[in-house]
Amino acid sequence: MPLLDMRDVRGGYGDADILQGVSITVAEKEIVVIVGPNGAGKSTAMKAVFGLLNVRGGQIVFDGEEITGWAPNRIVQRGVCYVPQVDNVFREMTVHENFEMGGFLRSGDLSAAYDRVYQLFPDLKAKRRNLAGDLSGGQRQMVAMGRALMLDPKLLLLDEPTAGLSPKYMEQIFQITRDVRDAGVSILLVEQHAKQALAFCDRGYVLATGANRHEGTGQALLADREVAEMFLGG
Amino acid sequence: MTLLDFLNFYLVPGIVLGAIYAVGAIGITLVFGILRFAHFAHGDMATLGAFIALALAASGMDPWVALPLAMAITAVIAIGVDRSFYDYLSRRPKILTVMASLGVALMLRAVVQVVWGVDPTTYVTGIVRPEEYFGILLRPRELNTLLTVVLIVVGLELFLRKSKWGKAMRAMSDNPDLARLSGVDNRKVTMLTWAIVGALCTASGFMLGINTELHSMMGWQLLLPMFAAAILGGVGRVQGAVLGGLIVGITEELSVFVVPAQYKAATAFALLLIILLVRPRGLLNGKVL
Ligand SMILES: Nc1ncnc2c1ncn2[C@@H]1O[C@H](COP(=O)(O)OP(=O)(O)O)[C@@H](O)[C@H]1O
Ligand SMILES: [Mg+2]
């Protein structure tokens, strides 16, 4: 049984349905990527999992429990953390305070959690007292991921973590994503850099106009002629 | 005029007045930053708090001992005001809450006028002689005012920087969506903010009252300089509010060198206009309004 099973989900922000039937599964310790043209509903699909959408059809099952219609803070406590595409750090708080806010719902000793994020993001250790808003884009993205990891989630949702980053940082973020997976976290991510993302993920989905178009292993999608022509620019 | 005269008759009163404005402006900047609206009932909440302290002092308590009690009582009242009025409008456009706060201002003032009347009054009667500290003349109440303001500012800064809920308040002001995604309970932060704002209002009203006099319109007169201070410092910035308060207070006292004394109260207005024209985000780069 997959960790996340999203079946034929329909819904939107207001009355109009942006998602017209999206189905996505993520297994334990799997990296799954969603690609597709701008406005396809990739971010919206991710928000549906996190309870930020009016879901009007289909169901979302996480870890054996249906979470359709749950409020985000209940979903957080269940073990799903979400890194939005933009505005994903507290700019006027320090790196360490961002992590503290990530662990807000946890009580007790968090030192193991801090050790873990600083181990994943060693660059941030020296910057722990800097304001997150003063960091470079790549480092800010690391803060955003670190904040989400503080709750020790089973599933991490990442919306375009490499948007606007240099190739060097993009590689680094992909590498960290793998490290996070190796630490036992399943990952669902949306990517604009479709080729690179499909090359590094376990499985991928191509969404277009709010519905599934293609799915398969990253390699299979890269090899698919139609996917390559329609979505990867030939 | 000697330097000491300048200090004693203009600068020191300016600092005392500015410190009082600062405490009020911190509350305004917190409401602006965390709840995102201009709270026009701020001044009249200060009046109410000042009169609650008067009622406690009338029962034989030293006014400075009555102050923390009055702060606690007004904190509860502020939470009640939020629950009874602003909370219902929290999902509607913010301008509705702003207008509602104007209504709350009139209601609070009416309560003060019905209960305590419209005549000016004081916490203590009699003339107090100032003491001299290295040539600087300070009355005990002025010294107490400055010490209280320092205590409040340092205490609040420590709370916001070090405590879990203080950080949650800053997070909510910084990025409300992300704060909610991190599991911060918006309602708790709102309650906490109102408790602090009610307490700060009381402190500013009380200190204005003990350094001058109490009357039912005092808070309304505080409103403009407090807003000017908050915007001058940068919306959402506690340290900015302190800086802004001091600048407005000192400028008001020094304005008599330039304009007739009856225009003192217009100084804050002039400062507000200038800052909005020249540096709308305030001295410490606050939020965009
Ligand atoms: N907060 C929102 N409110 C209303 N419509 C939105 C919102 N966010 C996105 N949309 C609309 O939903 C559609 C899909 O957007 P999105 O999921 O962000 O696309 P993608 O992430 O694939 O680029 C777009 O037509 C967009 O205009
Ligand atoms: Mg998107």
Side-chain angles (χ1 to χ4, degrees):
Chain A
M1 190 183 57
L3 180 65
L4 175 73
D5 190 357
M6 185 176 178
R7 255 175 266 151
D8 199 27
V9 169
R10 293 155 197 281
Y13 300 94
D15 291 333
D17 275 352
I18 304 235
L19 302 184
Q20 323 264 1
V22 171
S23 302
I24 290 169
T25 63
V26 181
E28 301 257 359
K29 295 190 73 173
E30 197 179 25
I31 298 181
V32 173
V33 65
I34 308 175
V35 298
N38 250 326
K42 305 182 297 294
S43 300
T44 307
M46 194 165 259
K47 285 183 200 161
V49 176
F50 203 68
L52 294 169
L53 210 68
N54 304 324
V55 172
R56 281 181 284 263
Q59 56 176 338
I60 303 166
V61 177
F62 176 72
D63 204 8
E65 190 171 11
E66 176 157 4
I67 58 166
T68 325
W70 282 24
N73 60 2
R74 198 162 158 218
I75 295 175
V76 166
Q77 277 165 339
R78 192 67 183 73
V80 182
C81 283
Y82 167 56
V83 180
Q85 187 172 342
V86 289
D87 287 334
N88 52 20
V89 297
F90 297 106
R91 292 172 159 270
E92 289 165 15
M93 301 178 86
T94 65
V95 168
H96 195 74
E97 284 173 338
N98 268 272
F99 294 160
E100 285 179 316
M101 287 314 297
F104 189 79
L105 286 172
R106 284 178 74 171
S107 47
D109 185 19
L110 293 184
S111 51
Y114 292 124
D115 287 348
R116 191 170 82 146
V117 290
Y118 285 120
Q119 216 160 10
L120 281 167
F121 310 104
D123 295 3
L124 295 181
K125 194 145 198 177
K127 308 235 170 191
R128 58 205 299 270
R129 306 214 175 281
N130 292 40
L131 294 185
D134 293 344
L135 301 181
S136 70
Q139 288 177 333
R140 219 180 299 147
Q141 201 60 47
M142 294 179 193
V143 174
M145 285 173 73
R147 182 202 62 80
L149 287 170
M150 283 297 297
L151 280 182
D152 209 356
K154 291 193 183 121
L155 174 66
L156 184 62
L157 308 173
L158 299 174
D159 196 346
E160 297 203 22
T162 67
L165 299 189
S166 66
K168 183 192 120 207
Y169 264 128
M170 184 170 77
E171 262 318 306
Q172 201 175 347
I173 295 282
F174 284 165
Q175 184 53 50
I176 289 164
T177 308
R178 265 183 233 117
D179 294 345
V180 171
R181 184 268 303 274
D182 294 344
V185 183
S186 306
I187 289 163
L188 177 63
L189 86 160
V190 170
E191 258 305 330
Q192 273 294 316
H193 300 104
K195 278 185 191 164
Q196 293 91 329
L198 288 174
F200 114 102
C201 70
D202 297 317
R203 275 185 321 114
Y205 291 84
V206 181
L207 294 194
T209 58
N212 287 45
R213 275 305 167 82
H214 299 274
E215 60 182 274
T217 63
Q219 297 307 329
L221 287 173
L222 279 172
D224 188 307
R225 282 263 301 282
E226 196 192 328
V227 172
E229 274 172 25
M230 302 285 291
F231 303 109
L232 306 178
Chain B
M1 185 170 67
T2 68
L3 179 64
L4 268 185
D5 284 349
F6 173 75
L7 289 177
N8 282 325
F9 298 119
Y10 297 96
L11 196 61
V12 168
I15 292 173
V16 171
L17 187 63
I20 295 169
Y21 290 162
V23 169
I26 294 172
I28 286 178
T29 222
L30 287 178
V31 179
F32 249 140
I34 297 169
L35 308 169
R36 285 161 213 272
F37 72 94
H39 185 226
F40 284 137
H42 210 78
D44 291 289
M45 201 173 264
T47 313
L48 180 67
F51 275 90
I52 289 173
L54 179 73
L56 293 169
S59 70
M61 225 178 263
D62 182 275
W64 290 97
V65 177
L67 173 61
L69 278 176
M71 285 167 79
I73 293 171
T74 316
V76 175
I77 293 174
I79 294 174
V81 165
D82 176 55
R83 283 294 162 87
S84 321
F85 302 101
Y86 308 143
D87 192 36
Y88 289 103
L89 300 168
S90 61
R91 284 170 200 283
R92 312 282 295 278
K94 285 298 176 200
I95 186 68
L96 295 179
T97 316
V98 175
M99 297 328 275
S101 78
L102 209 53
V104 167
L106 297 174
M107 278 168 29
L108 293 178
R109 191 185 313 162
V111 168
V112 169
Q113 289 176 340
V114 167
V115 177
W116 287 282
V118 293
D119 296 327
T121 174
T122 54
Y123 288 107
V124 280
T125 48
I127 302 229
V128 187
R129 293 199 157 280
E131 316 247 351
E132 199 184 313
Y133 304 88
F134 309 107
I136 307 283
L137 299 174
L138 271 183
R139 291 176 185 82
R141 60 171 191 243
E142 290 167 333
L143 189 62
N144 280 345
T145 299
L146 294 176
L147 290 177
T148 305
V149 173
V150 170
L151 202 68
I152 287 175
V153 171
V154 171
L156 186 65
E157 273 291 322
L158 280 178
F159 174 74
L160 291 173
R161 304 266 147 218
K162 301 287 175 205
S163 74
K164 178 167 178 147
W165 282 98
K167 286 173 195 164
M169 283 176 67
R170 282 167 54 217
M172 200 50 103
S173 161
D174 190 330
N175 189 337
D177 290 334
L178 195 62
R180 250 169 261 137
L181 295 186
S182 307
V184 176
D185 184 344
N186 194 9
R187 286 180 72 86
K188 277 193 195 153
V189 169
T190 304
M191 262 178 68
L192 181 61
T193 306
W194 282 112
I196 293 173
V197 167
L200 291 173
C201 278
T202 304
S204 62
F206 170 87
M207 291 186 294
L208 185 69
I210 205 154
N211 284 289
T212 57
E213 57 179 17
L214 290 123
H215 58 97
S216 60
M217 293 296 285
M218 63 192 281
W220 189 245
Q221 288 156 12
L222 268 176
L223 198 60
L224 183 63
M226 291 190 307
F227 263 96
I231 293 169
L232 185 63
V235 168
R237 302 266 180 249
V238 170
Q239 289 160 12
V242 175
L243 187 65
L246 289 173
I247 292 175
V248 173
I250 292 170
T251 312
E252 276 193 10
E253 292 297 328
L254 298 191
S255 67
V256 293
F257 289 113
V258 196
V259 291
Q262 59 267 41
Y263 289 109
K264 217 179 190 176
T267 323
F269 192 63
L271 270 176
L272 183 59
L273 283 183
I274 294 171
I275 193 75
L276 283 175
L277 279 174
V278 179
R279 203 179 157 92
R281 292 183 65 187
L283 296 172
L284 299 191
N285 265 330
K287 291 183 193 306
V288 182
L289 295 178

